[in-house]
Amino acid sequence: MRYKKAPILEAALEFRWQPERPLDAIRASAGLHAFSEFEAPKERKLFNATLDLQGGEISHESKKVGFELALKDGSQIVIIESDKFVFVQRAPYDQWQTFSQRALSLLEPVAASLGVSEFSGIGTRFVNRIDIPQVDGANVNTDDYITVSFSGPRTDKGVVHEFQMRVVKPTLKDGISYGLGVATSGSLLPDHTSIILDIDVFTEGPTPASGGVFAKVLSEMRDEKNEIFHSCLKKPAVDLFGGFEE
Amino acid sequence: MTYVDTGLLGHRTQASGGLSSFAHTVVDGFRRMIKIGQAGHLVLEDDCTRSRVTRRERRLEEIQRVISSVSMHLPKGFAVGLNGQFANMMADDAWEDDDAYPSMLSLEAFLLMLLSTKVTQRPGIGTNGRGSITAFWRDGENRLTIDCLPSGNTRWVLTRVNAKGEVERAAAECQPDRLCEVLNAYGPEVWFGQ
C-alpha cells in the first residue's frame, strides 16, 4: 500500500564495504548487464582544495572515485564508488518492496563482481516533504501537523515561522541508529508551506552481504524508518496524503 | 517562510560515516566542509561530483528533479512521463545548440499551469528556443497551445469548435494560476480531461 500523495521526495539505499576496490573493478561493475537500461556511466571525482593562509597559495587535486548512472527519465540513480553502492529512487516512490527489490537486483551483481561478502555499513534515507496549504495567507502552525516541536526558554506570541533540527541517536534495535532532520521549507505550490522530514536509518557494524541476517537487518531498518515517520506525524498531516491507493 | 533549500537530496546516508547530503549541503554544510588542516591551512573537501556533465545535461537534471518533487500533486504517471518527454526534447541529438535551455521560471509556470488547471491528460511539450516551455493539446480540430514564459507568465492560443459547430479562436497572456478561469469559457475539458 502507498499513500495517494506520498510525500517522499527521494529514497536511498546505501551499502558500504571495506577494503576499497580498485577503480578498474568499479568501472567494470558499472558496465554490467544489470545496468543496460541506464544511461552511460559518468565518472565521479572527489575534489580537495587547500589554502595556505601564510603563503596565500591555493592547491587542489581531484581523485576519481567511481561512477554514476541514471535512467533517462532521471527517476533512478545508481552510484558505485570504490567503497559503496547507492541506489536512489526519486519521487514518485511506489513502495518498499518495489524499491528494495530494485536496489538489491542492481546491488547483487555488483557485490558479486567486486567480491563483497560483508557490508561495513548499510543506510536507508527517506526525504519527505509535507506540503501544507496556508489559510488566508496565515503562517502554518507546524505543531498542528508534526509531533516535533520547539520547546525553548520563551513562549512569546504567535506560531513558529521557521525552524530546523537534526538529531542522531541509536534506536532500540542493536546496531541500528538514525538521523532525523526536521525543517520548514518553501514550497513550489502557491500558498503552501512545507515541512521536511529527512529520515536516515543506518547500521553501525558489519552485516553479511546476503542471506537471512542481511534480510532481517534490512527489514528492521525499514520498520524503524516507518515508525519514525509515523511517530512524527499528526492526523492533519496524514490527511494531506490523500489516503491509500487501491 | 523559506528556510531550507532542499535542492540537493539523498545520494548518501549516514552509513557513509559522514554527513547526509541534506546536512552537507543545507543545514551547516559549508562550515563542515571546511576543516583545519595542517597549521595555517584550510582544506576544502567537495562532495563527489560527476565530470563531463554538460550544461544541457545539468539543466535537464534540474528540470527532472523539480518535476519529480511535485509528482505527488500530479496525476499518476505524469511526472515520469513528463521527465521522459523532457529527456527526449533535450537529448543530445535532438537539441539545437543555439537554443536557450528551458528556464527554471518557465518550468515553474509550466507546473503551476498543470496544477491550477488540474489536467488529467499529459500535454505534448516543446520550446521556442528562447527559454520557454510550450504545452499543447489537440482533440480533432480543437487545439490549445500554452507557452510558459521565462517571465513566469503564460501566453496561450486556442482553436475550439463550439456547440453550434462554429470555429472560435482566442489568444491572451495571463498568470498561470488564472488559466483555469480564463479558459473555462472554451470547455477546456476536451484538452485537460475531466
Side-chain angles (χ1 to χ4, degrees):
Chain A
M1 280 201 307
R2 64 169 288 224
Y3 290 114
K4 285 180 181 166
K5 295 182 178 181
I8 297 164
L9 290 185
E10 199 164 284
L13 261 172
E14 176 174 328
F15 303 87
R16 295 181 69 86
W17 52 76
Q18 288 296 331
E20 292 187 4
R21 286 354 189 223
L23 195 63
D24 284 347
I26 300 298
R27 182 182 287 109
S29 68
L32 290 169
H33 180 69
F35 300 106
S36 56
E37 286 177 73
F38 287 74
E39 299 285 281
K42 291 185 164 54
E43 264 181 9
R44 287 172 62 80
K45 288 182 176 178
L46 180 66
F47 292 95
N48 282 295
T50 304
L51 170 64
D52 180 345
L53 296 177
Q54 273 94 41
E57 291 180 357
I58 298 174
S59 60
H60 60 87
E61 62 177 2
S62 66
K63 178 186 169 191
K64 293 175 187 173
V65 291
F67 295 87
E68 180 170 328
L69 306 97
L71 288 184
K72 188 177 181 181
D73 64 14
S75 61
Q76 295 178 355
I77 299 164
V78 171
I79 295 168
I80 313 171
E81 292 184 2
S82 50
D83 61 348
K84 69 176 175 185
F85 170 98
V86 185
F87 173 74
V88 179
Q89 172 69 56
R90 282 193 175 144
Y93 171 87
D94 186 19
Q95 56 184 321
W96 175 265
Q97 192 176 14
T98 314
F99 168 65
S100 60
Q101 281 182 357
R102 174 68 164 159
L104 296 183
S105 73
L106 298 169
L107 168 71
E108 282 163 6
V110 172
S113 78
L114 297 175
V116 174
S117 59
E118 181 182 88
F119 296 122
S120 55
I122 303 173
T124 188
R125 179 158 176 234
F126 279 68
V127 182
N128 302 271
R129 188 197 65 216
I130 304 165
D131 297 318
I132 302 168
Q134 296 169 349
V135 179
D136 299 327
N139 281 310
V140 167
N141 184 2
T142 53
D143 289 351
D144 293 340
Y145 294 89
I146 55 173
T147 56
V148 180
S149 63
F150 172 69
S151 176
R154 293 162 55 121
T155 52
D156 297 306
K157 64 179 182 180
V159 301
V160 172
H161 289 191
E162 303 170 350
F163 78 92
Q164 59 178 348
M165 180 216 78
R166 180 170 172 82
V167 62
V168 177
K169 75 187 294 281
T171 69
L172 289 172
K173 301 257 174 67
D174 284 345
I176 298 179
S177 295
Y178 72 97
L180 172 64
V182 187
T184 55
S185 167
S187 176
L188 181 65
L189 306 181
D191 306 320
H192 280 66
T193 290
S194 297
I195 299 173
I196 300 288
L197 284 181
D198 182 7
I199 301 167
D200 186 350
V201 177
F202 56 97
T203 62
E204 292 189 298
T207 307
S210 59
V213 173
F214 174 65
K216 181 170 177 282
V217 168
L218 273 187
S219 174
E220 287 180 343
M221 292 173 69
R222 176 218 182 177
D223 291 345
E224 290 299 315
K225 179 266 295 178
N226 284 346
E227 210 284 321
I228 293 165
F229 176 69
H230 285 110
S231 65
C232 285
L233 300 176
K234 292 183 177 177
K235 186 174 181 302
V238 177
D239 290 345
L240 294 170
F241 305 156
F244 292 105
E245 284 192 337
E246 296 295 323
Chain B
M1 190 131 173
T2 302
Y3 201 79
V4 172
D5 172 8
T6 56
L8 294 170
L9 296 172
H11 292 205
R12 66 174 173 173
T13 80
Q14 197 83 19
S16 302
L19 295 166
S20 63
S21 66
F22 180 85
H24 187 86
T25 56
V26 179
V27 179
D28 57 357
F30 200 67
R31 180 172 60 80
R32 294 202 189 193
M33 275 160 44
I34 295 178
K35 63 185 182 186
I36 304 298
Q38 299 166 17
H41 289 71
L42 285 179
V43 179
L44 174 64
E45 279 188 344
D46 195 1
D47 192 5
C48 297
T49 52
R50 286 153 309 146
S51 58
R52 292 198 287 275
V53 175
T54 65
R55 286 184 57 234
R56 179 182 49 76
E57 290 171 322
R58 201 172 296 280
R59 176 52 55 91
L60 174 61
E61 285 179 4
E62 290 171 339
I63 289 170
Q64 290 178 328
R65 179 175 52 77
V66 172
I67 291 173
S68 167
S69 76
V70 296
S71 61
M72 64 288 286
H73 301 292
L74 295 171
K76 191 171 184 180
F78 245 59
V80 172
L82 285 172
N83 279 340
Q85 288 175 270
F86 274 97
N88 289 334
M89 184 176 85
M90 297 181 70
D92 189 28
D93 55 358
W95 191 256
E96 296 289 339
D97 288 342
D98 295 338
D99 286 352
Y101 304 127
S103 85
M104 298 312 282
L105 266 177
S106 299
L107 178 65
E108 193 171 318
F110 175 73
L111 292 173
L112 287 175
M113 176 271 291
L114 294 178
L115 293 166
S116 69
T117 55
K118 297 184 169 55
V119 297
T120 58
Q121 293 174 179
R122 192 150 41 87
I125 62 163
T127 178
N128 65 0
R130 294 189 296 277
S132 75
I133 296 171
T134 306
F136 52 90
W137 293 262
R138 181 172 183 175
D139 177 70
E141 289 184 70
N142 301 308
R143 297 175 195 176
L144 171 65
T145 301
I146 301 175
D147 270 329
C148 302
L149 306 171
S151 65
N153 260 7
T154 59
R155 187 181 293 150
W156 54 267
V157 56
L158 65 82
T159 302
R160 180 76 162 95
V161 180
N162 67 18
K164 296 177 186 171
E166 300 162 337
V167 175
E168 296 179 332
R169 293 185 177 84
E173 184 169 331
C174 67
Q175 290 288 315
D177 59 354
R178 285 265 299 141
L179 273 169
C180 194
E181 202 172 335
V182 298
L183 292 176
N184 205 33
Y186 300 97
E189 60 276 2
V190 292
W191 303 298
F192 297 158
Q194 296 299 320

